[in-house]
Amino acid sequence: MDGLKEGTHSVQSIHTREHLAQRDAQDTLREFKERFSLPESVIYLDGNSLGALPRGAAERAAEVVNAEWGQGLIRSWNEAGWFDLPLKLGDKLGQLLGANPQETAITDTTSLNLFKALASALRTQKADSPHRRVIITERDNFPTDIYIAQGLTDLVNSLSQEIGVPYEVRLIDDEASLRAALDEDTAVLALSHVNYRTGSMWDMAEITAAAHDAGALVVWDLAHAAGAVPVDLNGANADYAVGCTYKYLNGGPGSPAFIWVNARHHDRFWQPLSGWWSHNAPFAMEESYTPAKDVRRFMCGTQPVTSLAMIEVGLDIALEADMAAVRATSLELTDLLIELVETHCAEFGFELVTPREHAQRGSHVSFRHKHGYEIMAALIARGVIGDYREPEVLRFGITPLYISRTDIWDAVQILREILHTNAWQREEYSLRNAVT
Amino acid sequence: MDGLKEGTHSVQSIHTREHLAQRDAQDTLREFKERFSLPESVIYLDGNSLGALPRGAAERAAEVVNAEWGQGLIRSWNEAGWFDLPLKLGDKLGQLLGANPQETAITDTTSLNLFKALASALRTQKADSPHRRVIITERDNFPTDIYIAQGLTDLVNSLSQEIGVPYEVRLIDDEASLRAALDEDTAVLALSHVNYRTGSMWDMAEITAAAHDAGALVVWDLAHAAGAVPVDLNGANADYAVGCTYKYLNGGPGSPAFIWVNARHHDRFWQPLSGWWSHNAPFAMEESYTPAKDVRRFMCGTQPVTSLAMIEVGLDIALEADMAAVRATSLELTDLLIELVETHCAEFGFELVTPREHAQRGSHVSFRHKHGYEIMAALIARGVIGDYREPEVLRFGITPLYISRTDIWDAVQILREILHTNAWQREEYSLRNAVT
């Protein structure tokens, strides 16, 4: 690739827009784009942050609010099936994750579900291998995963009765340091299947096996994986998984998250966020806690029904799509984005952050650029919506259900125009925040 | 009251329907009923379980879904103000609770917020008075409050490095046993301001002072109080409060809950559900946790925006109403319900559970009856929607913004008819569950 910086167009892309349009027309997923309501004049490359609006979601929300809440009132907990939504939707989602029925609940947030999983895993280890007091996670993990692990260990250490060997969070940087860190002190390994920033992906089965060999339990955060890449939790023999429904699953802004727990861990230990929805008989109003024997043990309190119910619309669309086709198109689109940026924008100094190896790549592509923030602001102003992540990273989410090859082509032409005209130097936009 | 059981109508009510209709017409709150969308042929006496649908909430949901999510997409975190909703709505709610600005956040669930408050309080005590390891709460508290306290102490005890004096949850039964239980071991007192079952209400200022005198911190659960009775958290010098928005605040099914933290506790200790929204710089993506210095420290992860945004509609209505008028009408209506049941249904064996003393009564009325379950099922089938709570308790929520004196009259006539004709013996309905 050394030749790329010698001059404009020194390396020509093998693609043309016409050729890409032909490919789009043959794509088996092409009809799914009509299932989403997207604004005109926008190329939405941020579905890994907030997925697009599926057609039907607004109608579902209106039904919940007007009919189920307004007319049904309290009766809707039974008659409209509100009580059953967390596990009913969990089972639908589970089909995308290699889960068995009744192993997945949609509830609370990813951060909270991670706390439950980590606490449950620490309790299990305390009973079986009490010297194991280390949680291993990635330095480059999405920060909330680190903070939650730190919050849990800090709580236990600070309230412990006597000073002993403290619980600890250890951060690893790559697979080599991960393998070196797994030892007889390791209680839990908590990793994101696909990294939020770089888009790099762990081999779930291989890493789970390595952790189990070392005596550790494994929690997978699937926030950037669920609905984006094939996942087989039972096939990988994982212990716990958490993730969100508002990215590739198109559940809506802040829609409740999920927790999957391998059935072998359901009936072992008390997870501490033990609100009444996790009780074995929540309406018996007992004064002592008796946990449910199934995945309901990992629930806590009453869920936000309107936001929860809308998740089903996106899930139903995801279940109609063939995940193998989604993955194949995702890889073709991410390859295309990399290739077009490295040819059409070769002279502008973008550094690819995402792995080139398919097996190590999720469904988004990130480039580092020293003016990444300003460039992303200029892109968004022109309707190409990606996002920016510290440090200096432009991130583009690739969602094959509603993004086409010509979208990628057009986005790169706009990127090239911004760089070529130095437009990014002349504009100021606020990207202040954008939720992962 | 002994004479009541001697025969039908042995004690006449002082009220007539005509007289009550006249009183309704003079009520300063009467116009608020038009602000809610209630089904025809229903008398809704369960607003303390799930509040009614405020007009405008469906439109707000549609705006969030179609415009903010569908068109704005990820940009709406800034442009539609999604980021600011938890504290913006928290400040609106805080006006009803005697909170100062920036002391209240709307986030997560009541159970989760209680966990945060209890954990924060235990950490504070551990630093100041490390021997204090007891959480006191009520045996008759809403069970999730007990389970959460038990889950927290179980976590810490089970993961402690060495066996010492364990953390413990102690249950009290009444004010006498509460005062006897407050001692040098007490870390935290956690009470529900209004009891979910009986409707009895603690004197917040007096009990808080007693707990402080004993060296304890106090957490108030306002689930059945917020929007229903006057609350002055700072006036009572309380430490923490939690509660829900879907009862008297009419936020919608499962709408996110709230946490209030006295500013003196904001910047002390790490609450363990320390997701990225509680970080001092959530978008800096730092690998170490630095808590926010204000009430944001008590947040965790991304909130369900559609369910969250609708809360504002109910809050705005509540803020328009004069809380003194709400309280006065609530007491008049609960007095009326008690009086009508004790006269019109005198012979049927209802036992009042709710305190007669105004200062000790919230805004719902409960009667015990050995056939309470069947009677409530028959009431609901006839459009009088209250709910049932173990054991044998019929519970009627009184919401002055949309319940009138004639509603109470009509409900009691239907109750009388059900008992008089033994209709409750002939019908079977499923009340299976109804969320508190």
Side-chain angles (χ1 to χ4, degrees):
Chain A
M1 309 299 289
D2 288 341
L4 281 180
K5 294 196 177 177
E6 290 180 4
T8 310
H9 294 279
S10 63
V11 175
Q12 294 291 328
S13 169
I14 59 170
H15 298 291
T16 65
R17 194 177 194 283
E18 186 180 15
H19 160 238
L20 294 172
Q22 289 168 355
R23 289 274 304 135
D24 282 341
Q26 296 156 357
D27 194 310
T28 58
L29 299 174
R30 71 187 181 284
E31 290 176 1
F32 280 95
K33 186 163 187 173
E34 293 308 309
R35 307 289 292 278
F36 295 90
S37 176
L38 284 156
E40 299 288 326
S41 322
V42 158
I43 299 174
Y44 193 56
L45 302 177
D46 210 7
N48 58 329
S49 187
L50 173 62
L53 170 63
R55 295 190 192 280
E59 290 73 11
R60 183 73 185 99
E63 181 183 31
V64 170
V65 175
N66 287 313
E68 296 176 10
W69 175 17
Q71 295 296 305
L73 291 158
I74 193 68
R75 299 169 292 197
S76 290
W77 280 105
N78 292 320
E79 294 173 10
W82 290 352
F83 273 117
D84 302 322
L85 279 176
L87 267 61
K88 175 191 169 193
L89 301 187
D91 276 350
K92 285 196 174 192
L93 170 60
Q95 297 175 46
L96 296 171
L97 305 179
N100 295 320
Q102 305 292 293
E103 286 183 342
T104 314
I106 296 190
T107 188
D108 295 332
T109 67
T110 307
S111 300
L112 291 162
N113 289 334
L114 181 63
F115 188 93
K116 299 170 191 170
L118 291 175
S120 175
L122 287 187
R123 283 221 52 186
T124 300
Q125 291 285 15
K126 174 80 177 186
D128 298 344
S129 311
H131 56 284
R132 292 183 177 273
R133 291 174 188 169
V134 174
I135 298 172
I136 296 178
T137 190
E138 300 162 272
R139 192 180 312 282
D140 194 28
N141 206 341
F142 186 65
T144 211
D145 293 40
I146 303 174
Y147 305 157
I148 286 288
Q150 292 172 338
L152 173 59
T153 55
D154 172 80
L155 175 74
V156 174
N157 292 336
S158 64
L159 295 183
S160 278
Q161 305 307 314
E162 310 292 339
I163 294 172
V165 179
Y167 283 85
E168 184 187 337
V169 178
R170 284 191 198 151
L171 302 179
I172 55 93
D173 291 292
D174 51 26
E175 186 169 340
S177 64
L178 167 57
R179 289 182 182 273
L182 286 168
D183 64 15
E184 66 278 6
D185 296 331
T186 310
V188 196
L189 172 64
L191 296 175
S192 286
H193 187 35
V194 174
N195 184 276
Y196 80 103
R197 200 173 55 79
T198 66
S200 69
M201 181 166 71
W202 293 100
D203 184 318
M204 183 183 284
E206 187 181 308
I207 298 295
T208 300
H212 286 176
D213 286 347
L217 297 171
V218 186
V219 185
W220 289 100
D221 182 339
L222 305 179
H224 286 268
V229 299
V231 173
D232 186 359
L233 289 164
N234 278 306
N237 196 26
D239 297 293
Y240 304 86
V242 300
C244 88
T245 63
Y246 54 72
K247 297 178 187 293
Y248 294 94
L249 297 169
N250 306 300
S255 54
F258 65 86
I259 182 164
W260 168 86
V261 181
N262 191 307
R264 66 174 171 267
H265 299 304
H266 284 183
D267 197 20
R268 290 210 68 188
F269 290 101
W270 190 337
Q271 69 83 9
L273 305 182
S274 48
W276 66 311
W277 280 67
S278 74
H279 195 278
N280 196 41
F283 290 93
M285 305 286 168
E286 295 172 356
E287 75 185 46
S288 282
Y289 181 68
T290 308
K293 294 183 183 303
D294 56 21
V295 75
R296 291 183 300 124
R297 177 178 304 209
F298 293 85
M299 297 189 63
C300 183
T302 306
Q303 294 303 297
V305 174
T306 313
S307 288
L308 177 63
M310 279 196 290
I311 295 172
E312 190 163 14
V313 182
L315 279 179
D316 284 343
I317 295 173
L319 287 169
E320 281 181 52
D322 173 29
M323 180 50 80
V326 170
R327 177 61 172 164
T329 300
S330 164
L331 287 170
E332 185 182 337
L333 292 173
T334 50
D335 277 345
L336 177 65
L337 177 58
I338 293 168
E339 200 262 333
L340 291 179
V341 169
E342 291 188 338
T343 51
H344 291 245
C345 302
E347 68 271 39
F348 299 120
F350 290 100
E351 176 195 349
L352 180 67
V353 173
T354 303
R356 292 180 194 275
E357 184 72 39
H358 281 183
Q360 296 171 19
R361 188 194 306 164
S363 196
H364 67 269
V365 175
S366 297
F367 297 96
R368 189 159 178 164
H369 190 288
K370 61 183 174 179
H371 301 299
Y373 183 92
E374 294 83 355
I375 293 168
M376 183 53 73
L379 275 170
I380 291 173
R382 285 157 180 78
V384 178
I385 303 182
D387 62 21
Y388 174 80
R389 283 290 171 265
E390 295 290 350
E392 300 183 353
V393 170
L394 300 100
R395 190 176 72 159
F396 300 98
I398 303 301
T399 50
L401 297 185
Y402 53 82
I403 289 296
S404 65
R405 292 158 191 80
T406 49
D407 288 333
I408 303 287
W409 173 276
D410 294 343
V412 175
Q413 301 318 307
I414 293 168
L415 176 65
R416 175 175 169 73
E417 176 71 14
I418 287 168
L419 273 296
H420 193 66
T421 60
N422 290 319
W424 59 270
Q425 294 182 337
R426 296 192 303 273
E427 315 208 27
E428 283 207 8
Y429 306 102
S430 169
L431 297 180
R432 180 169 58 109
N433 311 309
V435 172
T436 87
Chain B
M1 309 296 290
D2 288 342
L4 281 181
K5 294 196 178 178
E6 289 177 7
T8 309
H9 295 279
S10 64
V11 175
Q12 294 291 328
S13 170
I14 59 169
H15 299 289
T16 64
R17 193 177 193 285
E18 185 181 15
H19 159 238
L20 294 172
Q22 288 169 356
R23 288 274 304 136
D24 283 339
Q26 296 157 358
D27 195 310
T28 59
L29 299 174
R30 71 186 181 283
E31 290 175 2
F32 280 95
K33 187 164 187 173
E34 294 308 310
R35 307 289 292 276
F36 295 90
S37 175
L38 283 156
E40 298 289 326
S41 322
V42 158
I43 299 173
Y44 193 56
L45 303 177
D46 211 7
N48 58 329
S49 186
L50 172 62
L53 169 63
R55 295 189 193 281
E59 291 73 10
R60 184 72 186 99
E63 181 183 30
V64 170
V65 175
N66 288 311
E68 296 176 10
W69 176 16
Q71 296 295 305
L73 291 159
I74 192 68
R75 298 170 291 197
S76 290
W77 281 104
N78 292 319
E79 293 173 12
W82 290 351
F83 273 115
D84 303 323
L85 280 175
L87 267 61
K88 174 191 169 192
L89 301 187
D91 276 351
K92 284 196 174 191
L93 169 60
Q95 295 175 48
L96 296 171
L97 306 179
N100 295 320
Q102 304 292 294
E103 285 184 341
T104 313
I106 296 190
T107 189
D108 295 331
T109 67
T110 308
S111 300
L112 292 163
N113 289 335
L114 180 63
F115 188 93
K116 299 170 191 170
L118 291 175
S120 175
L122 287 188
R123 283 220 53 186
T124 300
Q125 291 285 15
K126 174 80 177 185
D128 298 345
S129 311
H131 57 285
R132 292 183 177 273
R133 292 175 187 168
V134 174
I135 299 173
I136 296 178
T137 188
E138 300 162 270
R139 192 179 312 284
D140 194 27
N141 206 341
F142 185 64
T144 211
D145 292 39
I146 302 175
Y147 305 159
I148 286 287
Q150 291 172 338
L152 173 60
T153 55
D154 172 80
L155 175 74
V156 174
N157 292 336
S158 64
L159 295 182
S160 277
Q161 306 307 314
E162 311 291 340
I163 294 172
V165 179
Y167 283 85
E168 184 187 340
V169 178
R170 283 189 199 153
L171 302 179
I172 55 94
D173 292 292
D174 52 26
E175 185 167 343
S177 65
L178 166 59
R179 288 181 182 273
L182 286 168
D183 64 15
E184 66 278 5
D185 296 331
T186 309
V188 195
L189 172 64
L191 297 175
S192 285
H193 187 37
V194 175
N195 184 275
Y196 80 103
R197 200 171 56 79
T198 66
S200 70
M201 182 166 69
W202 293 101
D203 183 318
M204 182 182 287
E206 187 180 308
I207 298 295
T208 300
H212 285 177
D213 286 347
L217 297 170
V218 187
V219 185
W220 289 100
D221 182 340
L222 305 179
H224 286 267
V229 300
V231 173
D232 186 359
L233 289 164
N234 278 306
N237 196 26
D239 297 292
Y240 304 87
V242 301
C244 88
T245 63
Y246 54 72
K247 299 178 186 293
Y248 295 94
L249 298 169
N250 306 301
S255 54
F258 65 87
I259 183 165
W260 170 86
V261 181
N262 192 307
R264 65 175 171 264
H265 298 304
H266 283 185
D267 196 21
R268 289 210 68 189
F269 290 103
W270 192 338
Q271 70 82 9
L273 306 183
S274 48
W276 66 309
W277 280 66
S278 74
H279 194 278
N280 197 42
F283 290 93
M285 304 288 167
E286 295 172 356
E287 75 184 46
S288 282
Y289 181 68
T290 308
K293 295 184 182 303
D294 55 22
V295 75
R296 292 183 300 123
R297 175 178 305 209
F298 293 86
M299 297 189 64
C300 183
T302 306
Q303 294 302 297
V305 175
T306 313
S307 288
L308 177 63
M310 280 195 291
I311 296 171
E312 190 163 14
V313 182
L315 279 179
D316 284 342
I317 295 173
L319 287 169
E320 282 180 53
D322 173 30
M323 181 50 80
V326 169
R327 176 61 172 165
T329 300
S330 163
L331 288 170
E332 186 182 337
L333 292 173
T334 50
D335 277 344
L336 176 65
L337 176 59
I338 294 168
E339 201 261 333
L340 290 178
V341 169
E342 292 188 337
T343 52
H344 292 245
C345 300
E347 69 271 42
F348 299 120
F350 289 99
E351 175 196 348
L352 180 67
V353 174
T354 303
R356 293 180 194 276
E357 182 72 41
H358 281 183
Q360 295 171 20
R361 188 194 307 164
S363 196
H364 66 269
V365 175
S366 297
F367 297 95
R368 189 160 177 163
H369 191 288
K370 60 182 173 179
H371 301 298
Y373 182 91
E374 294 84 354
I375 293 167
M376 183 53 73
L379 276 170
I380 291 172
R382 286 160 179 76
V384 178
I385 303 182
D387 62 21
Y388 174 78
R389 283 290 172 265
E390 295 291 351
E392 301 182 353
V393 170
L394 299 100
R395 190 176 72 160
F396 300 98
I398 304 301
T399 49
L401 297 185
Y402 53 83
I403 290 296
S404 65
R405 293 157 190 79
T406 50
D407 288 332
I408 303 285
W409 174 276
D410 294 342
V412 174
Q413 301 319 307
I414 293 169
L415 176 64
R416 174 174 170 74
E417 176 70 15
I418 287 168
L419 274 295
H420 194 66
T421 61
N422 290 317
W424 59 271
Q425 294 182 336
R426 297 191 303 271
E427 315 208 26
E428 283 207 7
Y429 305 103
S430 169
L431 296 179
R432 180 169 57 109
N433 309 310
V435 172
T436 86

